[in-house]
Amino acid sequence: MLLKAIFKKIAENKLAPILILGAGLRLYKWNNYGFWYDEVSWLAWPTDNLFGLLIDTLRIAKPPLFRLLVYLWSSLGKGESFLRLLPFAFGVAAIIIIYKTGSLLFDRKSGLLAALLLAVSPFHIHYSQELTNYALATLLSLLSVYYLYLSLRDNSLSRW
């Protein structure tokens, strides 16, 4: 239901220019530098199975969901550019969700302004270009606010 509404808004070209801008800024010089220490630490404990991944996650002070997603994503490809597509996707998705949240809480113009501000945010651009959990944390925070508001408004079991 959320995806259907998102694609409808994108098709109306209200959000499309902001998404193109946000994606373009996140792709600009995104592979201009190699992995640095924090990015490599997500890949530092190679494992052969999911159980080993869970044990390794206990050893490092990193969020386990992103570690699991990196593990699954890295099974598809090992290149730096490919691995950085994961936080890129979370960053672009966050632009969509902040638009939906702003539109839900206030109005469509507020949602578009919030999406534009996030699309050009230097911090969000930077963290959408790195193999770190910050873009995912932003996306999950926005989804939490969105669904909390819907749950409180509708008070239906399916929303909760």
Side-chain angles (χ1 to χ4, degrees):
M1 185 164 97
L2 175 63
L3 285 175
K4 183 178 178 181
I6 288 169
F7 287 124
K8 181 181 175 189
K9 292 295 181 186
I10 292 172
E12 292 174 359
N13 284 330
K14 304 280 193 275
L15 186 58
I18 296 173
L19 280 177
I20 292 168
L21 174 67
L25 289 172
R26 281 152 183 77
L27 289 175
Y28 179 70
K29 293 186 178 182
W30 83 324
N31 212 14
N32 234 16
Y33 52 91
F35 277 157
W36 62 289
Y37 176 77
D38 195 41
E39 293 175 292
V40 173
S41 68
W42 289 104
L43 307 167
W45 284 277
T47 58
D48 294 332
N49 58 37
L50 193 57
F51 180 73
L53 171 78
L54 296 174
I55 297 300
D56 288 343
T57 302
L58 295 174
R59 287 189 233 161
I60 57 174
K62 301 271 186 192
L65 176 61
F66 189 72
R67 175 75 170 112
L68 175 65
L69 293 173
V70 168
Y71 174 78
L72 296 173
W73 189 251
S74 67
S75 68
L76 301 174
K78 302 286 185 194
E80 289 180 19
S81 297
F82 182 77
L83 290 172
R84 285 184 175 153
L85 282 175
L86 186 64
F88 167 80
F90 295 144
V92 173
I95 296 171
I96 296 170
I97 299 303
I98 202 169
Y99 166 75
K100 293 293 294 174
T101 303
S103 298
L104 183 68
L105 294 175
F106 303 105
D107 58 12
R108 186 169 12 121
K109 287 183 182 179
S110 299
L112 287 170
L113 179 61
L116 179 63
L117 290 173
L118 189 63
V120 299
S121 167
F123 286 111
H124 197 260
I125 291 169
H126 177 75
Y127 289 123
S128 296
Q129 294 176 334
E130 287 187 352
L131 187 65
T132 58
N133 63 305
Y134 304 121
L136 176 62
T138 302
L139 175 63
L140 293 176
S141 298
L142 290 168
L143 283 168
S144 297
V145 170
Y146 181 79
Y147 280 107
L148 175 65
Y149 181 81
L150 286 178
S151 299
L152 292 172
R153 185 189 72 184
D154 300 343
N155 198 21
S156 69
L157 187 58
S158 64
R159 294 282 189 203
W160 286 104

